[in-house]
Amino acid sequence: MERWSQLKEMQPLAAQMLMNSYDKDRMAHAYLFYGHRGTGKREAARLLAKTLFCPYTADTEPCQECRECRRIDSGNHPDLHWIIPDGASIKKEQILELQKEFTYTGLESDRKIYVVESADLMTVNASNRLLKFLEEPGRDTTAILLTENSEAILQTIRSRCQQIAFQPLNHERMRDYLMEEGISKSNAFLLSELTNNAEEAKEMLEGDWFANARKLVIQLTEVLQSKPNEALLFVNHQWMPHFSEKDTLQRGLDVLMLWYKDILHEHLAREEAVVFIQEQEKREQAMMRWSRAQVTSCMSGIMEAKRHIHQNVHPTLVMEQLTLQLQRC
């Protein structure tokens, strides 16, 4: 994400607040960006740093081409310090080292910026050291704290920061963002229905797991249509090995639910709501097999299976029961 206009599409209120602060020369000395993982907090921190350091910023937008912008992208800007957890926490020693760095004059200018990622993971001692740091801010020092859990941060720290909320992404914004990140349209449509967390969506695409999960969902429904007596065999020998963990099985059932929703959308001629956008022929075939009432019954069965998995019922038993129900629909 390189421009405020892009962030504004993803987080309109947060982006506008930061842009207004810069335009009116009312930048706070400390910010707290809070919201779910994958909502653009890290990208906003990097973009704000570029805006403050770039000598060619115009209408809030940094140039993206100068030495300052390039070094921020590469993580090598000497006056931008990025603190991440050391293991499970951010330790007192990390904050002390940060304070030491800020006693020196900036190498490029008088401005210095530090970003504390996962600020809620600071130890008590680290939090107290940071609090003292925030109480005596330098004239050209900007602190940016990032967190998914603002309530876990000391209230005295929160009170010294301008707090900016990053909202969960809606389906349309999530879809557009994923496609801007180079994810295929078909995957973006499906992933945006499964999660509003951009980072989680990208992680799901790592390796072949998601592609195989998508394929298995369609294969299961095809077996149910053409060879229903082999459905249990398919579940035991192909479905369960892939969805072997509780979390992955829940995800597989989510994808299966979306497939049946698409069949319902096909019945209702709601093409704009479809997420399996490349499988029109298969959707039409499935629509001939399952009526609207039958699709609704199948979806109820999937929801019941998800509840059973959550209640720690044996996964194979749950899938076998669901398969039998899908056969009867």
Side-chain angles (χ1 to χ4, degrees), residues 138-275:
R139 177 172 164 272
D140 291 313
T141 295
T142 304
I144 307 172
L145 312 185
L146 313 180
T147 182
E148 296 176 40
N149 182 12
S150 61
E151 295 302 315
I153 295 176
L154 288 179
Q155 194 279 330
T156 45
I157 289 179
R158 284 185 276 136
S159 68
R160 285 164 173 76
C161 299
Q162 181 175 342
Q163 300 183 44
I164 298 183
F166 283 67
Q167 302 297 329
L169 306 185
N170 64 32
H171 297 316
E172 185 175 346
R173 283 186 186 142
M174 179 70 168
R175 186 185 305 163
D176 292 343
Y177 173 73
L178 292 176
M179 287 191 286
E180 287 175 5
E181 292 293 299
I183 293 173
S184 69
K185 184 177 180 180
S186 59
N187 279 335
F189 268 63
L190 186 51
L191 288 167
S192 65
E193 295 292 328
L194 292 171
T195 179
N196 59 13
N197 183 321
E199 291 184 20
E200 182 182 20
K202 293 176 185 177
E203 288 170 1
M204 287 170 63
L205 287 177
E206 293 175 359
D208 298 327
W209 188 90
F210 183 74
N212 289 332
R214 180 177 186 148
K215 186 188 304 180
L216 284 168
V217 163
I218 296 173
Q219 287 176 342
L220 173 59
T221 56
E222 288 179 328
V223 170
L224 287 166
Q225 290 174 76
S226 59
K227 300 176 182 178
N229 293 333
E230 297 181 12
L232 283 175
L233 190 66
F234 178 87
V235 164
N236 280 286
H237 289 275
Q238 296 192 55
W239 180 279
M240 291 310 301
H242 189 71
F243 302 105
S244 55
E245 303 293 331
K246 177 180 176 180
D247 291 344
T248 60
L249 181 53
Q250 288 281 22
R251 183 68 76 194
L253 291 172
D254 288 338
V255 180
L256 185 62
M257 175 68 81
L258 290 174
W259 175 248
Y260 276 98
K261 280 185 179 179
D262 273 5
I263 301 173
L264 187 59
H265 294 321
E266 196 73 32
H267 276 292
L268 299 173
R270 294 171 55 187
E271 186 71 24
E272 74 283 355
V274 166
V275 294

Side-chain angles (χ1 to χ4, degrees), residues 109-135:
S109 67
D110 291 333
R111 177 173 294 282
K112 282 178 173 284
I113 299 174
Y114 64 93
V115 180
V116 181
E117 195 164 339
S118 300
D120 53 292
L121 297 182
M122 287 187 291
T123 64
V124 173
N125 286 336
S127 295
N128 288 330
R129 294 303 307 185
L130 183 68
L131 178 59
K132 291 182 179 179
F133 202 19
L134 289 172
E135 287 174 339

